[in-house]
Amino acid sequence: MRTLISTAFISLDGVVEGPGGEPGYRNSGWTFKDVEFVPEAFEIKGREQQESTAVLLGRASYEAFSPVWPDMADFADYKVMPKYVVSTTLTEDDLVSNWGETTILRSLDEVAALKETEGGPIIVHGSASLNQALSDAGLIDRYHLLVFPLLLGAGKRLFSATDKDTQKLKLVEHEVYANGLQKNVFDVVR
């Protein structure tokens, strides 16, 4: 079974919306505007590209990333990886042609089936709504969280407010950086 990894920039109060400057969010760009940049804190982002074998995105994140990431050197390793987009509305005509193989998945059942295929880890970037659905369905195996020492208040959250049984996590890697940023890697305990 393939490992499904959720990776996120997240505020201390759980917000994941607009970390890179996406329009429409009051605190957009909080990852680079409000916290001093410390390069070593982002080592995990390069490692994710080296260790992942596929990318999974929700429709909104695909539409935000696909016009930009294919031409960015920082994300070059993702260009050659298969991409999967979970959407009930996206069509083949909506997919960009310069970002490699992309498959549209229509349901969480199709994500579960993808996890059963041969291959290495699948990384989920952005995709707040998809992350919530995947977590609630028990499909996420690991979290890579870069926790920023900020309280953003309103905004999309990584985790849903669904009333559910406790889900245990095991901290398998962590580090704190001089700027207050924390790296927390958790495996989901089954």
Side-chain angles (χ1 to χ4, degrees):
M1 179 180 281
R2 298 174 81 170
T3 302
L4 188 60
I5 302 167
S6 170
T7 182
F9 295 139
I10 186 168
S11 68
L12 191 58
D13 57 348
V15 174
V16 294
E17 186 170 355
E22 299 79 358
Y25 176 58
R26 176 183 181 170
N27 294 314
S28 188
W30 49 270
T31 59
F32 60 87
K33 286 192 318 191
D34 299 317
V35 177
E36 176 190 356
F37 180 72
V38 176
E40 58 270 20
F42 296 88
E43 170 276 334
I44 193 167
K45 303 322 269 170
R47 189 166 20 123
E48 288 170 349
Q49 288 187 67
Q50 296 301 309
E51 295 175 357
S52 300
T53 60
V55 179
L56 180 68
L57 300 165
R59 180 200 46 81
S61 291
Y62 177 81
E63 289 175 342
F65 298 159
S66 65
V68 181
W69 281 21
D71 298 320
M72 290 182 70
D74 288 346
F75 302 110
D77 292 329
Y78 287 138
K79 188 168 184 170
V80 297
M81 283 183 207
K83 267 124 342 252
Y84 298 90
V85 183
V86 181
S87 173
T88 58
T89 59
L90 207 63
T91 67
E92 293 293 325
D93 291 338
D94 297 321
L95 302 177
V96 298
S97 60
N98 64 334
W99 205 19
E101 175 191 345
T102 304
T103 303
I104 300 170
L105 304 178
R106 298 293 181 196
S107 68
L108 293 182
D109 288 340
E110 290 186 27
V111 175
L114 173 64
K115 284 186 61 175
E116 296 293 333
T117 63
E118 292 293 320
I122 304 164
I123 193 95
V124 183
H125 279 279
S127 310
S129 298
L130 176 60
N131 263 290
Q132 291 178 4
L134 292 168
S135 178
D136 289 349
L139 293 173
I140 295 177
D141 301 297
R142 176 174 273 203
Y143 291 95
H144 289 183
L145 305 178
L146 283 179
V147 183
F148 285 71
L150 302 169
L151 300 175
L152 298 174
K156 293 178 185 174
R157 301 277 199 261
L158 182 62
F159 302 103
S160 76
T162 301
D163 185 15
K164 61 183 178 183
D165 291 338
T166 300
Q167 188 174 46
K168 291 184 178 182
L169 305 174
K170 178 182 179 186
L171 185 66
V172 295
E173 182 181 342
H174 63 91
E175 195 159 345
V176 178
Y177 303 95
N179 62 357
L181 200 64
Q182 300 173 38
K183 173 179 63 181
N184 293 310
V185 176
F186 293 99
D187 281 343
V188 176
V189 177
R190 305 240 189 257

